[in-house]
Amino acid sequence: MNKINLLTPDKSNLYNFLYIGILLFFFSVLDVTLNSFFNINLTSFLPDALSFFLPLILGFIGLHFIRIEYSGIKYLDLINKNINTNNFNALLSLLIIFIFIKLLPPALSWFIIDANISGDSRDSCTGTGACWTYIKVWFNRFMYGMYPNAEQWRINLSFISLAFLGSVGFFATEKYKKYLTLYYVVIYPIIAFLFIFFFISGGPIFFDFSYGIIAAVISIIIGFFIPSKFKMYYFIIVPLTVYILLKYVLFYEELIELGKLEALEWVETGAWGGLSLTFIVSFFCLIFCFPVGLFLSLGRRSDFPIIKYISIGFIEFWRGVPLITVLFMSSVMFPMFLPEDMFIDKLVRVIIAISLFEAAYVAEVIRGGLQALPRGQYDAAKSLGMGYWKMYIFVILPQALKLVIPGIANTFLALVKDTPLIFVVGLMELAGMLGLAKTNPKWLGYAMEGYVFASVVFFIICYAMSKYSYNLEQKYKTER
Amino acid sequence: MADPIIQIKDMNKWFGDFQVLKDINLDVEANKKIVVCGPSGSGKSTLIRCINRLEEHQKGSIIVDGTELSEETKNIEQIRAEVGMVFQQFNLFPHLSILDNCTLAPIWVKKMPKKEAEELALNQLKQVQIDDQANKYPGQLSGGQQQRCAIARALCMEPKIMLFDEPTSALDPEMIKEVLDAMVNLAKAGMTMIVVTHEMGFAKEVADEVIFMDEGMIIEKANTTEFFANPKSDRTKLFLSQIL
């Protein structure tokens, strides 16, 4: 009886099979590892073909021997359940393990062992692996584009401040929580715009508007902390006082002249670039495309034929044209339709173009969410006396938007990865700078390193966004 | 005698080519309880959905509390705030807690201060005995509890009329009683109610009048004892013999 059972392991002779199986399996892995890392072939005495397939055969037999159901050994059962359920799966598992072991040494050698990072010129790249020196030398350009080195602190400072202001939500106490939406939807983008317009862009204009706008923003923010009893007086008195102070006490006109002298050096948007430009473009496009998409999706479901067909036409138009032509149009055709003395910056045009383009996609994603809601929700809201806007703001949109978080995240990720296309209008963000660097005569032939670097950076950004969207999903989950 | 609170005259409604309601005439006086019954597809639900204009009627007139229902949006919202409605599928707002479900409309439609609205809501929830669940979400409650919450939510608007659209049809038999109890209490408190239901026990207990509908017409309208003891039309007799 025992003899017939030789090839079908079971519990009665568990350990015999276990030891033989593990031995065979380890021998096969060892053979492949030695072969791949140290180029030693243990089985060179065998014919070539046999020697090549031997680890696979031995490992297969080994896995077959240790496939003992309900052996009672925890890890063995775990392995059997997950990678060793039947002969075919065992073979697949083995193949994947072997391919991984085979690929590891060349990858390691390219990325680390044979790579160079020291030095600051092409000559120091002597190894056969990657030349990280290239990334090191160009790192500054990859981050800031053509932005003057001496002025880069302005970008750093702006981004750090914005990151800090953006994290306010985590520290807000219960009392101020209700203002957070207003802050993130209205105030934060305005602050971000001010930073970028006055600080990163610079120029004599800095002191011109900034006094007025910053004063207005500050007074509005302070306004929220004023007891509602005095709020009306506050909003009448403060602007008046500020105006009188500026005009008659501080002599604002003269301050402007003064400001012009001391202003930050103006850096035109054509010189911006690198990762910082990726962030700027993505940030503003994300912020603009969402509300536009929201209104388009509502418009498409509207009862008024005019609004409905305008929305449909808009959405279908932007979904039907490729982004690259939209960008090209925005930079070449659009200025022709503007009055002669009117000038809109290239970057602004690009941001508007991408926002409108992505808004069409966002609109369709949100429409999916709206359609997924049962009609009873609309009935219930109406039966409580809510009008159109109240119904949508308090009942329909919170549920619909929650449903479409994965879809919106998807669109936003695509948006971030679409930003490299702005190279067609001459704006060089991260991938654009790579293109520029790889054609530099001094550094020909290192495109690979650049693209690996860019993929890692984009992966980090996109993975962070996708994780964040997943967290949001969990946070707003209220069903059982 | 005061005017009836709901006056429906020669009302007709079509869904496309299909006529759902045919020449409906119905007067409901304040504080009366009306039960509407009939086979499915007979237009009962559509009738009460017309009363707060979740459906539009095409011909005839509906006057609710002195206001005629028409195209004008403003007066529809006014009427809807005065007419509470409870649905077969509860239709609670799943993203809001039970308390927020109840306070949402008073705060934003009636502009009630938040504190006052919460007090009112807790009071109404207490009436239907789920005030201890106030901070849970609808998904965490049983069907019967959800339906009682829906009743409380409608009552928070302090309506003059309550419409019930088969409130117990989607419930387990065990939970029907708790919902019916809540409705009986409401009836005893003197609310004007129109109830579409198949619960004949409930009809016998609280209804002043029972209406039997079939194929979009009111076949029979009689006071409760008369309706059950001595139905006039053959169709009603057939229906009652099947349901009782």
Side-chain angles (χ1 to χ4, degrees), chain B residues 185-215:
Chain B
N185 287 339
L186 185 62
K188 282 180 183 154
M191 176 67 73
T192 312
M193 290 161 77
I194 301 182
V195 185
V196 173
T197 186
H198 298 297
E199 296 294 327
M200 289 303 132
F202 173 79
K204 282 177 185 166
E205 188 177 346
V206 299
D208 296 314
E209 271 182 355
V210 180
I211 291 172
F212 177 72
M213 283 183 74
D214 192 22
E215 291 176 347

Side-chain angles (χ1 to χ4, degrees), chain A residues 81-82 167 172 177 181 194 224 234 238 270-271 273 367 403 445 451:
Chain A
K81 206 172 127 193
N82 288 317
S167 64
K177 276 253 156 73
T181 320
L194 291 178
F224 283 110
Y234 173 82
V238 168
R367 191 166 70 95
L403 279 177
Y451 286 121

